[in-house]
Amino acid sequence: MPTNLLKQYNTLLELAAFNEMQRDESLKRIFCRDIVENKNFKFQARQIKPTTADGEDSMDRLFRHLTTRITDKATRHREFDMARSVRLHWIRYHVEERKHDEMYVFSVNEPSGIRTYIYDRVENYVIVLEPLRNGMEYYLLTAYHMDGKDKARNKMMRKYNRRLPIIA
């Protein structure tokens, strides 16, 4: 389990051999190291925060969004997603903008508001941020590996083509 703490971009975490409790413990250690306890968790000098929700701890909610996916749109039921989870340690790497090749960083005005995307075209991985109204911080909404490479990639490139002139 501790070996996952040593993993770096673009290796994947080793989770398949763990039971659910061990898997969650390993993922939470990485989540705490990279996000919760990281006082310098910033994107382009702006602090990143978890989204807030009534009656739910914001860090628990963020952890759930980063390690699960919606399996029933009607009920919004979420289940563990291996593809997201094995890449959990990639978030910090991308937010700190350590990679420069084949990276698309842009903001788009979506129906739900402005979203900022950090898109790794080679790894087919995207991080979604929402700028706060104060313009000084972001919410980290989610991060995921895009399935169905061509369809997902085309959708992301359509967003990129509609990008705002500046990163919001």
Side-chain angles (χ1 to χ4, degrees):
M1 208 174 323
T3 60
N4 277 336
L5 288 169
L6 302 175
K7 299 284 185 175
Q8 296 181 9
Y9 174 85
N10 66 355
T11 59
L12 301 177
L13 299 176
E14 296 174 21
L15 301 173
F18 295 155
N19 64 37
E20 185 177 345
M21 189 175 80
Q22 292 169 324
R23 180 189 70 210
D24 286 350
E25 181 183 338
S26 182
L27 289 170
K28 283 184 180 177
R29 290 172 87 183
I30 291 164
F31 178 74
C32 285
R33 178 197 66 195
D34 291 353
I35 296 172
V36 177
E37 297 167 359
N38 182 1
K39 302 274 187 248
N40 210 21
F41 189 54
K42 297 178 180 182
F43 175 67
Q44 297 187 348
R46 294 185 191 166
Q47 190 68 41
I48 299 175
K49 297 182 168 202
T51 58
T52 55
D54 294 332
E56 183 178 12
D57 179 71
S58 57
M59 286 298 179
D60 288 343
R61 178 185 170 133
L62 179 59
F63 179 76
R64 192 168 40 93
H65 273 266
L66 298 175
T67 59
T68 64
R69 76 172 352 151
I70 293 175
T71 55
D72 183 346
K73 289 186 181 185
T75 64
R76 309 280 299 161
H77 177 74
R78 301 184 74 90
E79 290 184 9
F80 176 75
D81 182 29
M82 184 66 79
R84 287 180 184 219
S85 297
V86 296
R87 294 168 176 84
L88 183 63
H89 61 299
W90 291 11
I91 295 170
R92 183 175 180 180
Y93 183 85
H94 284 93
V95 163
E96 291 175 353
E97 297 185 284
R98 294 188 202 168
K99 182 177 179 187
H100 303 287
D101 297 338
E102 297 291 327
M103 292 297 299
Y104 294 83
V105 178
F106 59 96
S107 296
V108 176
N109 195 0
E110 305 276 13
S112 55
I114 294 175
R115 299 284 189 263
T116 298
Y117 293 88
I118 304 170
Y119 173 47
D120 182 339
R121 186 174 170 145
V122 173
E123 296 293 343
N124 231 20
Y125 187 72
V126 65
I127 298 170
V128 185
L129 304 170
E130 179 181 315
L132 272 71
R133 289 185 183 159
N134 66 14
M136 302 303 293
E137 299 171 311
Y138 284 107
Y139 282 134
L140 173 56
L141 299 180
T142 195
Y144 56 92
H145 179 257
M146 295 189 303
D147 299 330
K149 292 182 181 179
D150 291 337
K151 184 178 179 182
R153 185 172 285 177
N154 290 341
K155 183 177 178 181
M156 188 58 60
M157 293 314 293
R158 283 194 300 276
K159 288 181 187 282
Y160 180 75
N161 291 334
R162 294 186 298 121
R163 69 189 178 275
L164 296 173
I166 60 168
I167 296 173

